[in-house]
Amino acid sequence: MTRLMLGRTLERICKAVLLLCLVHFLIMMILYFDVYTQRFDIFSRLHNGRNATRGGAGGHHYYYNLSRPNATFSSYLATADQLLPTRRSQSNHTPTTKPVPPCPEIPPGLVGRLLIEFGSQMTMERVQRENPNVTEGGRYTPPDCHPKWKVAIIIPFRHRDNHLKYWLHYLHPILRRQKIHYGIYIINQLGEDTFNRAKLLNVGYTEALRDGEYDCFIFSDVDLVPMDDRNLYHCYDQPRHFAIAMDKFGFRLPYAGYFGGVSGLSRKQFLKINGFPNEYWGWGGEDDDIYNRITLNGMKVARPDVRIGRYRMIKHERDKHNEPNPQRFNKIQNTKNTMRRDGISSLSYHLVQVKKYPLYTNISVEIGKPPPRPFRG
């Protein structure tokens, strides 16, 4: 009796398994014929599309993309897809880019008061590692917003390599936090003749415009570092004096007409004053002449709050061949008479070399030498 029941159970199991196999076979056959029909339909469409374009003015074989340089199988599929009667609009294949918003007037990532020190050793390799987003020539553009100004930062230079390392170390991060579109230009006076700061700044303005479409120019000494990143390095409605509170002067403005250290003018403001004077050889006087040019042309000097416009100066000895200019006081008194003939309109120099480094662009020039002083008997 037990053997009989066991046999019937096995018989039912075998029938169920056979039934399942039959159902599975039927399902596989249905799927196979469905896929085969779709493939046949696609190839027939491709064949019809190829025949329709063969001999036409714009006809191309659908294997054409595979013979192009850098062609991929996806490009082949795209070509085949274009031959189908139900063509998709080309705009569907074009990725939409989100418009970049304007940069905020006050960038949210600013730190405020900074600790500036010049005691630790600085190398260009370290500064380069710290600023991987700065491109060749010392250029940077914020990736997430569109700045109002394109800023060229111009530094008159000679024999200050150690100062330049510190300046780049501090300024690149500050400028990036300020969301500034900028390029840095070191204007290197070749030779050992008398230094001429203002003429080098005129050269920087001219050469920067050859390199980019700048509309704002910041003129900075290489030994001055801002102590607050809220002192924004861009242009304003009026010419801007940034370095109004240096540690050298006890963090005070030395006198009302002081315009030295770090200043900024838009391209329009710069041309309105005919740029800077070219005839101030040696130390002193050129920044006062520039201040006079600004006021004589109906503009005012704008300044940041004294708590924000603080700067540290790298201590150093006075440069050789940059002795005080004994003619500076007489020249300052004659700005009104000289500013139309002496400036960017009368600039002459010899460009020797332009070399782009990872953190800045170096422009080496020969600017001549001062005229002989009149003999006094």
Side-chain angles (χ1 to χ4, degrees), residues 124-125 127-129 131-140 168 172 182 184 355-362:
M124 282 296 184
E125 291 75 17
V127 182
Q128 190 172 343
R129 288 195 306 269
N131 299 279
N133 296 328
V134 176
T135 59
E136 187 182 47
R139 305 282 289 268
Y140 177 78
L168 294 169
H172 271 303
Y182 67 89
I184 293 175
K355 189 169 183 180
K356 293 183 180 292
Y357 291 94
L359 300 170
Y360 62 95
T361 298
N362 185 83

Side-chain angles (χ1 to χ4, degrees), residues 199-219:
K199 190 171 185 178
L200 291 174
L201 297 180
N202 279 340
V203 173
Y205 170 88
T206 304
E207 291 298 323
L209 283 177
R210 290 181 178 177
D211 190 52
E213 296 181 359
Y214 296 105
D215 50 13
C216 176
F217 301 86
I218 307 295
F219 305 96

Side-chain angles (χ1 to χ4, degrees), residues 151-256:
V151 182
I153 301 176
I154 298 167
I155 298 178
F157 188 85
R158 189 167 64 180
H159 307 323
R160 295 285 194 91
D161 298 276
N162 190 50
H163 293 178
L164 180 60
K165 296 172 189 177
Y166 285 110
W167 192 94
L168 294 169
H169 166 70
Y170 285 113
L171 265 295
H172 271 303
I174 289 174
L175 295 170
R176 292 203 316 272
R177 290 198 298 271
Q178 292 182 354
K179 302 292 183 182
I180 304 293
H181 173 121
Y182 67 89
I184 293 175
Y185 297 88
I186 306 301
I187 316 303
N188 181 34
Q189 180 177 336
L190 296 176
E192 298 300 327
D193 287 309
T194 306
F195 195 69
N196 191 324
R197 177 180 180 270
K199 190 171 185 178
L200 291 174
L201 297 180
N202 279 340
V203 173
Y205 170 88
T206 304
E207 291 298 323
L209 283 177
R210 290 181 178 177
D211 190 52
E213 296 181 359
Y214 296 105
D215 50 13
C216 176
F217 301 86
I218 307 295
F219 305 96
S220 175
D221 290 344
V222 73
D223 57 1
L224 286 175
V225 175
M227 299 178 66
D228 197 308
D229 62 3
R230 293 172 295 177
N231 195 359
L232 301 178
Y233 271 41
H234 59 70
C235 284
Y236 297 79
D237 294 336
Q238 299 291 333
R240 187 80 165 182
H241 183 214
F242 296 92
I244 67 167
M246 296 187 219
D247 57 353
K248 167 185 175 180
F249 299 129
F251 297 111
R252 296 185 185 90
L253 192 67
Y255 53 91

Side-chain angles (χ1 to χ4, degrees), residues 36-104:
Y36 177 80
T37 303
Q38 291 182 18
R39 291 182 63 188
F40 180 78
D41 181 58
I42 289 173
F43 281 105
S44 65
R45 291 185 185 184
L46 290 173
H47 179 73
N48 292 337
R50 182 174 56 184
N51 289 340
T53 58
R54 185 178 297 166
H60 296 282
H61 196 283
Y62 65 87
Y63 286 112
Y64 177 72
N65 274 349
L66 294 180
S67 66
R68 293 179 180 175
N70 303 321
T72 60
F73 185 67
S74 61
S75 64
Y76 156 71
L77 291 177
T79 306
D81 187 61
Q82 291 172 359
L83 294 174
L84 296 177
T86 55
R87 298 184 182 182
R88 285 179 250 182
S89 171
Q90 196 136 21
S91 62
N92 292 338
H93 299 281
T94 305
T96 57
T97 56
K98 188 177 180 180
V100 180
C103 291

Side-chain angles (χ1 to χ4, degrees), residues 305-321:
D305 185 278
V306 69
R307 293 167 295 182
I308 292 177
R310 295 164 68 95
Y311 279 75
R312 281 208 65 187
M313 175 180 282
I314 306 173
K315 293 182 179 180
H316 59 89
E317 300 295 329
R318 186 178 299 281
D319 299 322
K320 190 177 180 181
H321 304 297

